[in-house]
Amino acid sequence: MSRRRLFVYIGIVVSGAFALLGGVVFIVGIFAELIGRTEPQAGVSLSVQFALTGLCLSAAMFALFFGLVAALIARQARERGAGYGAAYRLIESMRFREAVPVLERMVRAGNTSSEVLMMLTSAYGYSGQFGKAQSTADRAVQIHPDDARSYITLATGYRLQGAYDEAASALKLALERDPEQAVVWAELGFVQRFAGRADEAVQSFERAARDPLPPMYSVRVNFHLTQAYQAQGDAERAVRCAARMMAARDGLAVWQASLPALAGTTYGTALRYEVNDIDRALADAESGSVR
């Protein structure tokens, strides 16, 4: 995050806090006036002045708050540029080939933010253009070396090519810059497992499970933890993870929807086997609960 944007965020928080403080001062002043005055007096009482001061403070701070929010939104709109919304919707709906020219136009227009380069890397990779995906990911790291998202982008390029050890190394670099991203810990566990580093994968999954995860990640993470704890003979933890896996079972549909785009790739084949295993585990757990 740039220093200017950090100052804007701080300004939003501070102005919001002072706006609330002004509101409290106004309410206290009015309350004091209603309770304390017994006879009509000439002029404006001290409590009314206190209340009006609070009201003015609150109004000024609310104006500053909304001004900073508007400036932040305008800045983000300029950074993302035209076409961002269309590209995001295409990526979200798995229409990667259609997203490529939209994102390429954005990059040619000068938008080389880490977010745009991440989407372009995914669009190239999922449409089978692995060379372009790798060069775009490398470019993201060169332009934004301190941004964790650049290394996530790099890991995406490696993962789509089946280079799991390299993907794991890139994700570790991302976590060095932002270690509190539970989803990235989950992704690290996935690629470590595909690379055959099962013990390291379990450690990453355990770290990911310490924080709330979206259903699409929770279902996979808790499936693997359930399997690991069962193998260790730890029934109590296995049951807890199985319950969390069941609670997040709807998240598996996201991975199932991505499989056609990955058909014919090493990663797609590995993911298909895993998704099928999770689907069977969910079916067995549901039938067992019915019985």
Side-chain angles (χ1 to χ4, degrees), residues 220-285:
R220 288 180 69 187
V221 166
N222 284 291
F223 167 76
H224 292 302
L225 287 177
T226 300
Q227 300 291 309
Y229 293 146
Q230 286 176 342
Q232 295 170 13
D234 191 338
E236 183 178 350
R237 287 202 290 180
V239 168
R240 285 202 302 268
C241 290
R244 289 197 291 265
M245 176 185 71
M246 290 297 295
R249 59 186 176 274
D250 291 343
L252 191 63
V254 179
W255 301 107
Q256 290 170 327
S258 70
L259 291 175
L262 294 166
T265 66
T266 302
Y267 172 63
T269 301
L271 181 60
R272 183 179 298 278
Y273 282 125
E274 180 185 344
V275 167
N276 289 340
D277 288 342
I278 297 173
D279 196 28
R280 282 193 294 270
L282 290 169
D284 290 344

Side-chain angles (χ1 to χ4, degrees), residues 150-166:
S150 298
Y151 297 92
I152 297 171
T153 301
L154 186 62
T156 298
Y158 284 133
R159 184 183 66 238
L160 291 172
Q161 298 175 70
Y164 303 124
D165 285 319
E166 290 81 358

Side-chain angles (χ1 to χ4, degrees), residues 1 13 15 58 67 106 112 116 144 155 158 166 183 235 253 285:
M1 181 184 297
V13 173
S15 60
S58 182
M106 294 175 66
T112 55
V116 168
H144 309 285
Y158 284 133
E166 290 81 358
V183 166

